[in-house]
Amino acid sequence: MLDTKHAGLLAAALVLLPCLAFAQVSLEAPLGPVLAIGHRGASYVAPEHTLFAYDQAMAFDADMIECDLQLTKDGVLVCMHDTTVDRTSEGTGRADTYTLDELRHLDFGAWFNQANPARARPEYAGARIVTFEEQLACYLRHNPRMRFHVETKAPAEYGGRMEPALVDLLTRLGLVATGHQDIQTSTIVVQSFDLASLQAVKALAPTLPTAYLFSAPADPLIAAGVLPSYVDAAAPTSVFLRANPGYVGAVHRTGKEVHTWTVDDPAEIDALLDIGVDGIFSNRPDVLRARIDARGTGVDAAVRGNPAAFPALCQFPPDLSVADLALSPERVAGGDVVTFTATIANTGAGDAADVRVRFLVDGAPVGDDRMIARVAAGATATVTSASWLAKRQTGLHSVEVRVLETDAAATRPFVVQGNKLQ
Ligand code: G3P
Ligand code: CA
């Protein structure tokens, strides 16, 4: 049953519908700044849905990065277009028959080099799967203003599990209400070819904006530009819009946006900008950025906030510090054999490997340098010095620990009591 508002819209649409095909289409303005959306990253120059492609999308100053979602066997949302791994890896079979750990063993880059020899790069071979959480964490760390167009891909095949998994993740990361249902500001926009999926997402998270993907809408209301209440943008193919240029205005008159896909050709981009689209998905966000910037209708660069440089492939540097420096024994007497133990903390976002640590007493090294094989991001590791003899050392001393190759260091005074036979 239609409510009053939608009945009115339907009546307007029925009047409008015959006009759309024949109307002289006037230039339509976008509702806000036009979005450059990196389709599967910058997937023209790098293997889709890999860190290589996402890095390039950010380097090309995209407003948004796309992720097509699949669910692994163990329920993790990963960025993969196809429901099988066949096209983009050396594996075979459905993605949801693999655990995340199993997917991490597949190569999602080598296929690109074989398919695109002119754009091949040796380092693409061995590119790994990216989880949606990893995509969000990495690119929001680079740029808290980065935005994401995330697609529930083939959601019916996941039996209703994908939408709650998505909303749970976004809730945990504090990203559900970042735009308060405003598609022009929300960090996240959820897109789908499946209206039921969008309806489910909206029911779980009403503040998340949604976009409906289609090639040729069967529903006459949607064909006339009237979207369901739980959809905030139409996302038709560029082919549909070129055949129905008045569609953008029809959707705009309902207060909703039009995002279109997938457009790499500059002339076609220009034609779509002419008819007032609000966002374009492109495998070549550099080309798209240039066309939008040429007419000055995009998001202001300062608002986009993409950094000029950032750590490649989400390899954030570790950040090491000395959390503790202890002595054993704690009260040293002349004649004791003393060891010093340092706790090294890594508060950075990347793991630290082969950490070299030097202990010194009164500026003189205590034995050889010590090595810590690995300090994981967010973790600590302890390391103990060689022995230091307190014999004939009565009085005040200072022990220092230095993490070589960083400026992390700590010192601690200690006293050797002369109450043992020296
Ligand atoms: O999401 C926009 C566009 O990507 C839809 O097509 O098949 O590339 O996901 P597809
Ligand atoms: Ca997509």
Side-chain angles (χ1 to χ4, degrees):
M1 184 72 101
L2 286 173
D3 56 27
T4 309
K5 177 182 168 194
H6 285 91
L9 288 170
L10 176 57
L14 291 174
V15 172
L16 181 64
L17 190 54
C19 304
L20 283 177
F22 306 105
Q24 176 93 29
V25 178
S26 59
L27 290 185
E28 174 76 20
L31 292 186
V34 182
L35 298 170
I37 307 158
H39 185 246
R40 312 181 196 177
S43 55
Y44 179 79
V45 297
E48 68 187 52
H49 289 318
T50 65
L51 296 178
F52 291 102
Y54 302 147
D55 275 7
Q56 274 305 133
M58 178 167 271
F60 290 155
D61 209 0
D63 296 283
M64 303 187 80
I65 302 175
E66 194 203 15
C67 171
D68 295 302
L69 291 176
Q70 303 289 344
L71 262 177
T72 65
K73 184 178 181 180
D74 46 345
V76 181
L77 292 166
V78 291
C79 297
M80 253 190 74
H81 179 272
D82 300 2
T83 49
T84 73
V85 300
D86 299 40
R87 180 177 60 87
T88 55
S89 83
E90 77 278 32
T92 57
R94 289 179 59 96
D96 62 359
T97 62
Y98 289 80
T99 64
L100 175 60
D101 187 56
E102 289 165 344
L103 283 178
R104 287 199 196 280
H105 287 87
L106 296 179
D107 176 347
F108 284 90
W111 73 272
F112 180 91
N113 289 347
Q114 289 157 16
N116 305 284
R119 282 170 264 144
R121 286 172 51 182
E123 60 268 35
Y124 290 164
R128 297 299 166 202
I129 191 90
V130 181
T131 71
F132 183 42
E133 181 167 0
E134 288 165 347
Q135 187 201 55
L136 293 168
C138 175
Y139 295 93
L140 284 172
R141 184 177 169 94
H142 289 324
N143 176 14
R145 294 176 181 271
M146 180 45 81
R147 305 179 61 202
F148 303 86
H149 226 303
V150 57
E151 180 178 347
T152 56
K153 182 63 86 182
E157 298 190 30
Y158 291 103
R161 291 186 298 127
M162 182 174 274
E163 295 80 7
L166 173 59
V167 172
D168 285 352
L169 172 63
L170 296 175
T171 301
R172 179 161 55 82
L173 298 179
L175 297 174
V176 165
T178 53
H180 301 285
Q181 208 171 349
D182 184 347
I183 199 165
Q184 293 192 355
T185 58
S186 180
T187 302
I188 305 292
V189 176
V190 180
Q191 40 156 336
S192 188
F193 287 98
D194 187 326
L195 282 171
S197 179
L198 296 179
Q199 193 166 17
V201 168
K202 195 64 112 176
L204 291 167
T207 58
L208 279 179
T210 56
Y212 175 47
L213 299 162
F214 60 85
S215 303
D219 184 322
L221 258 184
I222 294 175
V226 180
L227 303 170
S229 59
Y230 52 87
V231 174
D232 301 293
T237 62
S238 60
V239 174
F240 175 87
L241 287 184
R242 297 299 299 280
N244 301 276
Y247 190 76
V248 178
V251 176
H252 282 177
R253 282 187 282 280
T254 70
K256 298 188 177 183
E257 291 203 347
V258 178
H259 298 179
T260 188
W261 46 280
T262 302
V263 195
D264 296 345
D265 177 67
E268 192 180 1
I269 290 170
D270 283 342
L272 290 159
L273 294 173
D274 282 345
I275 62 171
V277 297
D278 305 285
I280 299 177
F281 292 80
S282 178
N283 302 311
R284 308 187 72 173
D286 50 337
V287 174
L288 175 57
R289 173 90 279 140
R291 298 319 306 151
I292 295 172
D293 287 355
R295 59 181 75 199
T297 54
V299 177
D300 187 80
V303 174
R304 293 199 294 275
N306 283 320
F310 52 89
L313 305 177
C314 306
Q315 295 295 307
F316 295 98
D319 187 358
L320 299 176
S321 59
V322 180
D324 190 40
L325 178 55
L327 290 72
S328 177
E330 190 60 34
R331 291 173 60 84
V332 185
D336 278 348
V337 174
V338 184
T339 55
F340 309 97
T341 298
T343 302
I344 309 299
N346 180 4
T347 53
D351 295 352
D354 300 328
V355 178
R356 181 182 293 271
V357 177
R358 181 171 298 166
F359 291 88
L360 308 98
V361 172
D362 303 330
V366 181
D368 295 335
D369 293 342
R370 312 309 247 192
M371 297 297 294
I372 308 174
R374 176 184 163 88
V375 189
T380 60
T382 58
V383 56
T384 299
S385 72
S387 298
W388 180 79
L389 298 180
K391 195 172 181 181
R392 284 193 280 278
Q393 302 284 359
T394 304
L396 180 64
H397 299 275
S398 174
V399 57
E400 178 182 7
V401 59
R402 291 183 199 158
V403 179
L404 302 186
E405 296 161 11
T406 79
D407 56 5
T411 59
R412 178 175 166 178
F414 67 97
V415 173
V416 177
Q417 305 284 351
N419 60 354
K420 265 193 180 177
L421 188 62
Q422 299 242 339

